[in-house]
Structures are given as structure tokens and as C-alpha cells.
Amino acid sequence: AQTVTQSQPEMSVQEAETVTLSCTYDTSENNYYLFWYKQPPSRQMILVIRQEAYKQQNATENRFSVNFQKAAKSFSLKISDSQLGDTAMYFCAFKRGNTGKLIFGQGTTLQVKP
Amino acid sequence: GAGVSQSPSNKVTEKGKDVELRCDPISGHTALYWYRQRLGQGLEFLIYFQGNSAPDKSGLPSDRFSAERTGESVSTLTIQRTQQEDSAVYLCASSLSGGASYNEQFFGPGTRLTVL
């Protein structure tokens, strides 16, 4: 069975600084996808970034980028130029290639301080 | 356009009662998912509908939980004889399709269920 582990329950960063959130996963699959979701206090889950396992190039979306290390089964999220609106809970998620369901980590609560 | 909607937004019930939670997916989305999120925890997969295929029920925690979907529209999650451990936020999501694609899952705002 696949598992996703986020080892940092809480993190904080000063506004405009850079922060990295960690995620590791365990799978024997070769075809899969990885995601980072953001859940602000409003409870609305929002997709931040996604990565296909077969792509070696790390995904980037504006201030958000990932460091995907397939051999190490690591998928960290880097947030550059942190903004107050980035304050939220962040979830790493795994999806096997032939199924729709997402398997989530326990989440990391990120607070951006002014 | 309209996103995924869920109703009610909050539900308080007494232990032993049945509850129904509703999800309206984004129009045109063939895949629909239910997840449960306990306080301060990650999301747990419950069930997944894809078009006319048999649903993936592998995440349902007990036979007290069931879900239905009418065609490619509304879905209802039913919890019978509720227990206090069922207290959680129940999130629904939809996507253009599931399976081999990595289509983004769009989430609703959730229903917060409290079992007294």
C-alpha cells in the first residue's frame, strides 16, 4: 500500500523569505503523480502544483517549485518570497497512475509572519 | 463557473441517527470523490465514482457508510447509525475524469459533521 509522510507538523517563515516543506512517499509503482494542495482556514482545498513521476524536470508554478527525487521517493515544496496569504495547511498527495483516488499526508501547517 | 458545492455546510446529529450529505460536482466532470478529514489530520479516501463504472469503495470504513451517484451529477454520502468517531469534515471533489489522467480534483467546501 502507498503511504505519504510529512514529517513537519508545523513551520513558520518570515514574509518574503523562502521555506521548504518536506514529503516522502512509499510505493512500488512506476507510474504515478504527486501533488501539493493548500488548505487555508476557509477549508477550501486548492491545488498548488503537480508532478508526473515520469518527468525528470521539476515542476514550477510562479513562486512555488518542487524538488522531486524519484529514487529517494522525496517530493518537497519550496515557496519563494513567502506572502501572508500563503498561511495555510499544506498537504502532499500521491495518485497511482490507474486510479483516481488521492492518498494524502498528514499535512504541514505553515504560518507566514509579517 | 460554479465550483463543487456541498450541503449542508454543518450538521449536528445525535449518536445513532442516520445522516445524508450531498455533493454537486462541476458540470461535465465524470469523476467524483468523497474524502473524510478528521480534526488536524490529512484527508482519507472514502469512495470514487467514474462515469458508469462500478465505484471504488475501498476506503469506506464500515458498512454503515454508503454512497450513491445519479449519472454524472449529484452524489449522496449516507452514514447510518452515526457514532462519535464519525465526527469529521466530509469533502467532495470532482474532476474531468479519473483513472490514468492526472486531471485536477476540484474540492468543495466540505460538510462538518458533529455527532453528539
Side-chain angles (χ1 to χ4, degrees):
Chain A
Q2 290 81 21
T3 58
V4 178
T5 302
Q6 295 178 248
S7 58
Q8 305 151 314
E10 295 180 357
M11 292 194 72
S12 64
V13 64
Q14 291 296 132
E15 195 174 7
E17 297 291 308
T18 295
V19 64
T20 299
L21 308 183
S22 301
C23 173
T24 58
Y25 58 95
D26 186 23
T27 185
S28 57
E29 302 282 335
N30 201 41
N31 178 26
Y32 56 89
Y33 306 92
L34 295 162
F35 306 82
W36 278 98
Y37 276 87
K38 169 185 177 181
Q39 187 178 42
S42 67
R43 214 166 65 195
Q44 185 72 51
M45 293 283 285
I46 303 164
L47 178 66
V48 175
I49 198 165
R50 58 189 167 194
Q51 173 85 39
E52 298 116 304
Y54 62 86
K55 286 189 176 179
Q56 293 185 341
Q57 186 173 7
N58 290 324
T60 62
E61 287 288 343
N62 301 312
R63 297 184 295 108
F64 299 88
S65 62
V66 298
N67 183 4
F68 174 47
Q69 301 289 327
K70 190 172 183 179
K73 296 180 182 174
S74 170
F75 182 62
S76 60
L77 174 69
K78 184 171 85 171
I79 306 174
S80 304
D81 185 25
S82 297
Q83 300 176 359
L84 296 178
D86 295 334
T87 292
M89 198 155 185
Y90 287 80
F91 292 98
C92 178
F94 170 98
K95 175 185 172 305
R96 229 169 61 199
N98 61 351
T99 180
K101 69 183 183 186
L102 292 171
I103 299 169
F104 286 85
Q106 293 295 87
T108 296
T109 300
L110 175 68
Q111 182 172 14
V112 180
K113 298 180 177 178
Chain B
V4 177
S5 61
Q6 293 186 245
S7 60
S9 56
N10 287 284
K11 175 73 177 177
V12 180
T13 190
E14 293 179 349
K15 179 181 172 181
K17 295 285 179 70
D18 297 351
V19 294
E20 283 190 356
L21 312 180
R22 177 187 169 107
C23 172
D24 285 86
I26 293 172
S27 178
H29 282 192
T30 63
L32 186 146
Y33 317 80
W34 283 98
Y35 296 88
R36 176 172 71 180
Q37 184 177 25
R38 290 197 166 111
L39 186 63
Q41 300 294 311
L43 280 70
E44 303 170 73
F45 166 78
L46 297 177
I47 188 168
Y48 155 52
F49 297 89
Q50 171 60 62
N52 295 321
S53 303
D56 176 355
K57 303 180 181 180
S58 61
L60 294 178
S62 76
D63 58 7
R64 296 186 296 104
F65 288 72
S66 63
E68 293 184 349
R69 187 180 186 194
T70 308
E72 293 186 352
S73 60
V74 173
S75 175
T76 302
L77 177 69
T78 301
I79 309 173
Q80 296 179 310
R81 305 180 303 282
T82 52
Q83 303 294 312
Q84 288 181 333
E85 63 262 27
D86 299 334
S87 295
V89 174
Y90 290 83
L91 290 158
C92 175
S94 70
S95 67
L96 279 172
S97 65
S101 73
Y102 78 175
N103 284 326
E104 178 179 352
Q105 292 186 23
F106 292 84
F107 283 81
T111 294
R112 181 179 298 280
L113 174 66
T114 303
V115 182
L116 301 177

